[in-house]
Every structure is written in structure tokens, then in C-alpha cells.
Amino acid sequence: MSRAYNFSAGPAALPESVLRQVQEEMLEWQGERASVMEVSHRGKAFVECAAAAERDLRELMAIPDDYHVLFLQGGATTLAALLPMNLAGADATADYVLTGHWGEKALDNARPLLRTNIAASGKAGGYVDIPPVGEWQLTPGAAFVHYTPNETIHGIEFRDIPDVGDVPLVADVSSNFMSAPIDVSRFGVLYGGAQKNLGPSGLAIAIVRKDLLGRHGRALPPIFELQNQAKNDSMFNTPPTFAWYVLGLVLKWAREQGGTAAIGERNRRKAELLYSAIDGSGGYYRNAVAPAARSWMNVPFFLPDAALDKPFLQEAEAAGLLGLKGHRAVGGMRASIYNAMPEAGVQALVDFMADFARRHG
Amino acid sequence: MSRAYNFSAGPAALPESVLRQVQEEMLEWQGERASVMEVSHRGKAFVECAAAAERDLRELMAIPDDYHVLFLQGGATTLAALLPMNLAGADATADYVLTGHWGEKALDNARPLLRTNIAASGKAGGYVDIPPVGEWQLTPGAAFVHYTPNETIHGIEFRDIPDVGDVPLVADVSSNFMSAPIDVSRFGVLYGGAQKNLGPSGLAIAIVRKDLLGRHGRALPPIFELQNQAKNDSMFNTPPTFAWYVLGLVLKWAREQGGTAAIGERNRRKAELLYSAIDGSGGYYRNAVAPAARSWMNVPFFLPDAALDKPFLQEAEAAGLLGLKGHRAVGGMRASIYNAMPEAGVQALVDFMADFARRHG
């Protein structure tokens, strides 16, 4: 056996050096004479580990001091419900911009909680482009505008942050978290699950402008009140300690890679390599997304005939290229090339695709 | 370095053989050429791993077919809010029986969601005994009765399941999950975090009588609707895959130990050994809980003088006995002796306590 290149959409590939460190210190962590999974979250060693992860994320993403960084249980879908509860009352209106599956799901979770307005949707066009920002039907005085900067299933990514005036922008960045430099100060909330770019599943991260919390006027169960997590360094209840620890190792790895700018450059090169291979295949491979809206993280593509999907996947697996099956909502193939995917992995995929096209052309 | 005996209240000790297996297959799991953390939760390998954990838990706890077993994100506190939302409407009344800190927290999370009634409370007496079941002020037609069979901080445990008639009994078993055989059919819901007896933190398990879900009449965000998790084998959203996998290994270990009956017998012996040492110390060590309500899992005890706490903890650590500091709400010491704590660990603690008493008597 040997490790393969893993193009899974999430849970997704982690840096091998991180896995090796986890392996090495599995039974005894940092002189604690116990696994990191076995120690108290309130003990000195874990509190320092957790704080270091927050410091590193703040530095890597240049998160301003007037933002909380919350480490929470669950995933982005959990926050898709918790955020509307925490950002506004039931009579407020929130605008939702839909550019794919996850934007729809976020809306579904908000609907029972406040008034919602679909400010723009790419659904009628099959989610292959971003509705022009100038045409968004925004609600004056909305509590927030929600959008999904990268849609994992449809492979659509915003290259620019939309200007929505003074209304707080709330963004589900699950699938492009820390994938390139981003101006956090332009957002009210950035949130996402860790399991694509940052760590294992079971941990969600919310970067929240401090003034937005505690103003909703709802009677919430204390465990759903994000202000309680903010006041307790995300330890209002027992946090998912192992996932938090792995996140910390991934962030140290990201620093070693040269930080977010270097990672962003590499992600751009990886995406260009793959899209060039698709566009340069003489029509053998196709990506349906408008070029300006193509994701650097999730690259869906189609073969000339769906009957070729099965041999493509089988041969890819045999060649050590895993997780390439497209989401059932879109079909075809999808290569997720998150931060931890090395350029050599994308090169191996591109080489395989060229060879497959030759043999099955 | 070497591993110590870890008496932490949770996150808590795991079986060493489980940690060794996790270590061994960290980079390549089951021929997947990837870590278990990196593979899709919808892939064949993980789906089988998840299903095996459910089968093992059903067998170990003899869970009847008319109960769902849900594997959820978060901890018991998350469920302390989710369960009232899912079991009843806002106009219903639920009875809460308080025998310690966690019962109070469960009540706090239910209060904003429905009418609550404190049917009984041991608070006035300092939570050192269980209020007699015959004196509980139960509400006729209540939606459910909530109690905490084992209180982690106060060290109180019910040895018998209270008879509350036809009203569903909802029990937070976080700290005595699968610690001894239990008649699941007597409950509406058994729930708890995994991080004491079953696995790492970040995973909560709910065993729910099927007819109790989907009757609440509330407009809930889909992610908070437990019926959605039940219908999707707990994969309505991305589950905490690594924690679920470790749980599965712990359950296999539990089967190798001889199952719940054998584990329960061992837990009884461990508790008897420790309480005998306390009671037989000529008053040097004291446990304040009424003998019939003493927990087999969490054993709080006091030294003759709080000034001895620090040397006790320091010397215990040096002797390889970790995590003995009592919760700040109670003070003194606390030994948590969950399923994964071997009898040799309790013997080592008892020997140390005798030696310490001799030297500091």
C-alpha cells in the first residue's frame, strides 16, 4: 500500500507531515503522558494548544482585533442555522444570494428563523455563473447578506468580494477557507466547516465581527448563544479537542508553506494547470462554469460520454487518483484541489487525463 | 516518558489498544490509501465503519429495534437544547429532576423552549443524595421527564431507573454511558457526549424511541430536526468521521472485554475498591455522597485539610496518577474511573492514597 492523491470534496486530504506528527504523538502528547484526545480541555497544555491555533489563524488570515474567532462543534450547516438566530430577531430580513447547492441549504436553515429574501439566484441558469452584483435585489436595512464565495458542488467561486454597502456580509467559506488572502474587514461573518482546507470534520470556525453578537433579542438556549462561546474562548462546553489540535498542526504547516499569499499563488497555479488541461483537450473534457466564476478549489468536468465515467474512475483509482466522482447533483467528475493537494498531484491528474483521452478518444 | 493512569473527568482515558490501532492506521486506513480523516463519509469504507459502530452499540446495549441510534455533532449540552425542540411544542411541559450541575444545565437549555417544572432537586442539600422518587412532583401529561443518571461533578448515580409511568424518561448518560447493563426500553431517550466512556469529544449519541420524533409541530431549521438525521443514518450533514471511527474501535474493545455485563462488574469492583479505601481511611479521606447514591464513575473525595490538596496532586502526578483535581464547584479531589480505567489503575490510586495518608497523617 501507499498513499494516493486524494481529490475528495470533504472530508479531504490533509498534509502528510501533519498526519505523521499526529501518528507520532498519538499515545503521548507533549509530555502529558496521555493522548491529546484524553486530556482535559481546561488543562494548561490543551488551553495553550487551542490558543496557539487561534493566534496562527489570526496571523495567517490577518484577522482584525474587533473579530471573534470561534471554534465550534458541527459544520457549516450548523452555523447556517445558528448565525441567523444570533445575528437578528425573527422580524428582521436577511438577503440570500444563491450560486449553488450550499447557498440553497443555508437559506433552508434560515427560513424558519427570520424573513428571507432571495436577492439573486443562478439557479435558472443551472448555476454556471454568478449573477452580476449590480443586479442583486438587496433589501434596504437588511440584517445581513449571505452568500457562498465558493460552491463546492457547482465549482463556482467569487474572485472579488461583492460590495453590499453597510449591511454585514455573511459568507460560508467552507470550501475556500484560507485558500488565498482575503480582506476579513469586508465581512460581518466568515464561517465554515474545517474538513476541506483546515482539518478533520466535526469542527466549524466562525470569524465574527464583535459588535454583531448579542443583539438579536431572542430567548435562546445558552448553548446556541454564540456570545457565550465568545466569552468562554469557545469552551462554553467541551470542544472537539482532537479536531482543534489537528487544525493547529495544519495552520503550522500553512505557515511553513509561506502563509496565505504563497498558498494562494500555488492554488492559482494548480487551478490554471487543471483548467488548461480541460480547455486544451479539444473538447474531450468540458467544464460548464463561466471562466470568470471558475473555482480554484473544486473543478467539475465532464467526459464526452457518461458511459466513460466508470472506466475513468476505475483507471484513475488504479493510477492512485482518488475521490474524482462528481456530486450526484451535477454528475461527471470533480477534482477538489484544496490547500493540502500538492502541485504534483494536479500534474499527475492532468497527465492521467491526457493519457485517458488518447486511449478512449 | 510513559503513559500514566488518567483520572480526567472528560475528555478521558481511552483504551491503549485503541490508541495503538489509531496510530498504526493513521496514514493509511483499511486499504483506502488515505487516513480515515481524509475519506468521504459517503464512501463505502466509511459507511461500513459507521454502520458497524451502530451494530456494535445496539448489541452491547441491547437496544430495541424501535429506537433510533443517532450519531451527532456536539456534546450533551447541544442535545440538552435539541431534544426539547424535537420532543415537544413550546406549550408542552417537561419535568426536570436535578441531582447536580448537569441537570441544572439541561434545564437552563430547555427553559427558552418549553414550559419546565422542577419535579425534584437535591440542591438545597448540596447535591449529596437523590430525592426519593416517591416525592417527585411530576406533572400529569408532561412531554417528558429529564434526569441525569450520573452526575459527573457531584459523583451521584442512580442505581435504579425511576418509575415515572407512561411519560417518556429522557436521560443524560454522558458519564455512565454503557458502564453497566441498562434496560433501554424503560427510556424515551438516552443521550450523552462520547468523551467519557465511548470516544473522543465532538460526538454525541442519542438513542431515541422512534415514535417520539417528528411530533413537535415547530418550524425548525432542517439541521436541528433530529428526524432528518434519523432518516439519513446520521449523515444529514458531514458527521465527525474521526470521532465516529474511534468510537467504533472502543466498541470493538468493549466486546473483547466481555460486553457490558463484564464491564459493569469490573466497574462495580473498581468503585468498591476506591470507596472502601476512602471509608477505611479512619476519616482521613471523606466522600460526602449518601452511600446508596455513590457513583461508580466519578468519585469525589476530600482530604482532612484543603492545604493538603496541592501536595496530594503534585505527588500523585509524580506517581503517574493524573487528572485528580476536583471540579471547582465541589473542590477537593475527584477520580473518574470510566470503562477504560483498568483495575490496576484504581489499585495504584488506592495504594498511593494509603501511602500519602501515612506520610501526611
Side-chain angles (χ1 to χ4, degrees), chain B residues 1 28 36 45 67 95 122 156 163 168 175 188 231 258 286 298 359:
Chain B
M1 287 211 303
E28 298 189 37
V36 65
Y67 286 73
D95 286 335
I156 292 176
D163 182 358
S175 51
K231 285 179 184 161
R286 285 173 300 110
N298 310 98
R359 289 183 291 102

Side-chain angles (χ1 to χ4, degrees), chain A residues 295-356:
Chain A
S295 168
W296 289 3
M297 296 282 103
N298 310 99
V299 182
F301 60 91
F302 300 91
L303 280 75
D305 183 338
L308 289 165
D309 288 358
K310 202 171 165 187
F312 183 94
L313 287 168
Q314 281 173 341
E315 292 183 27
E317 280 214 19
L321 306 168
L322 307 182
L324 286 164
K325 190 176 182 186
H327 191 276
R328 63 186 182 280
V330 171
M333 302 296 133
R334 172 177 51 171
S336 296
I337 49 177
Y338 300 122
N339 291 357
M341 173 60 64
E343 294 186 77
V346 182
Q347 187 63 56
L349 172 60
V350 161
D351 292 345
F352 168 79
M353 287 167 67
D355 183 55
F356 185 90

